[in-house]
Amino acid sequence: MKLVSWNVNGLRACVNKGFMDYFEQMDADIFCLQETKLQEGQIQMELGDSYQDYWNYAEKKGYSGTAVFTRIKPISVQYGMSEEDPDTEGRMITLEFEQFYLVNVYTPNARRDLSRLPLRLEWEERFRAYLNELDKHKPVVVCGDMNVAHEEIDLKNAKSNRGNSGFTLEEREKMTMLLELGFVDSFRYFYPDRTDVYTWWSYMAKVRERNIGWRIDYFLASTRLTPYLKDSGADCHIMGSDHCPVFLEMELDESLQNA
């Protein structure tokens, strides 16, 4: 099973920059998007008959938004964390499958001036509780732009970025707490010491060319899924957005039912 996640930073723009070529090349079973930045009816996707598509639009036009294209029919689909907690920014879609939950997420950014850091940290608390509840029933795969470089190895210039949005101690601690709850960062599971693998680069001149980036896009998985994980990585060469796609390969079998 192949899963792909990509913050496209505006799907309409990304489609004009080769999105469908990559989509068709990957031939993924599940393809998740963040920052679609559109409203219902503003794009027509030619995905083929094998895919079902699910969209969570932000109320604010041209902002945020998530989508999932899946060949595997879900048992259920939920937008946001609960009906009592409306997801007005279109940040989350949860699909329940027979053997696992998939959570596609676009985590709120703390902003450059950290003005949204308190909201971000409060959101992280609710998000961790939400995943914990799901994990009591079935294993969980979480993917998306989580807007944090967890460790110093996950960004090029760690020293000069300490305390900056996406690399504050508070944001990094929230990721640590989530992993300690019973999740693994699938990329680091396979490649614990690999350096210079990033998923986001600033639009400043020659930054991506020089690979001065951050790894802020993830596939996390419930720890009990690790025997079924086969590979995880980032397609850093794929353009079309300021983020690159990330992927996870799994091979599930009946033994997972008793995991």
Side-chain angles (χ1 to χ4, degrees), residues 78-94:
Q78 179 172 307
Y79 302 93
M81 296 189 209
S82 70
E83 293 181 3
E84 296 76 31
D85 186 9
D87 185 14
T88 60
E89 295 185 346
R91 292 190 175 273
M92 192 186 310
I93 305 176
T94 301

Side-chain angles (χ1 to χ4, degrees), residues 77-245:
V77 180
Q78 179 172 307
Y79 302 93
M81 296 189 209
S82 70
E83 293 181 3
E84 296 76 31
D85 186 9
D87 185 14
T88 60
E89 295 185 346
R91 292 190 175 273
M92 192 186 310
I93 305 176
T94 301
L95 278 67
E96 178 187 0
F97 298 105
E98 183 180 354
Q99 294 178 299
F100 68 100
Y101 288 101
L102 174 78
V103 179
N104 177 29
V105 65
Y106 176 40
T107 300
N109 191 299
R111 291 183 180 164
R112 183 180 292 271
D113 63 358
L114 301 183
S115 60
R116 225 180 182 201
L117 183 59
L119 179 149
R120 159 73 179 263
L121 298 178
E122 187 271 335
W123 185 93
E124 292 271 14
E125 288 294 314
R126 291 185 287 117
F127 184 57
R128 191 170 68 253
Y130 174 72
L131 296 182
N132 187 43
E133 192 60 33
L134 290 181
D135 193 56
K136 292 177 182 178
H137 302 282
K138 293 180 183 180
V140 182
V141 173
V142 183
C143 69
D145 175 1
M146 302 188 76
N147 262 316
V148 62
H150 184 217
E151 302 289 356
E152 292 191 358
I153 195 175
D154 295 317
L155 72 167
K156 189 68 170 183
N157 296 319
K159 186 174 180 180
S160 61
N161 278 294
R162 285 190 192 124
N164 288 345
S165 176
F167 200 57
T168 63
L169 182 61
E170 295 92 337
E171 290 166 305
R172 296 169 65 195
E173 284 179 342
K174 294 299 184 188
M175 176 62 87
T176 298
M177 292 169 68
L178 178 55
L179 296 176
E180 289 177 347
L181 191 65
F183 290 88
V184 295
D185 173 351
S186 63
F187 178 75
R188 287 293 169 218
Y189 175 75
F190 288 105
Y191 310 104
D193 303 315
R194 184 169 292 182
T195 60
D196 298 320
V197 176
Y198 308 120
T199 66
W200 174 81
W201 301 262
S202 163
Y203 278 127
M204 293 174 62
K206 297 187 178 180
V207 164
R208 188 161 185 174
E209 181 180 306
R210 295 161 59 199
N211 198 27
I212 303 173
W214 299 48
R215 191 176 72 92
I216 61 176
D217 301 85
Y218 296 83
F219 268 100
L220 309 183
S222 296
T223 305
R224 62 191 186 278
L225 281 174
T226 53
Y228 309 93
L229 305 183
K230 298 305 175 184
D231 196 14
S232 182
D235 283 332
C236 304
H237 63 289
I238 297 296
M239 310 300 282
S241 168
D242 54 346
H243 295 249
C244 76

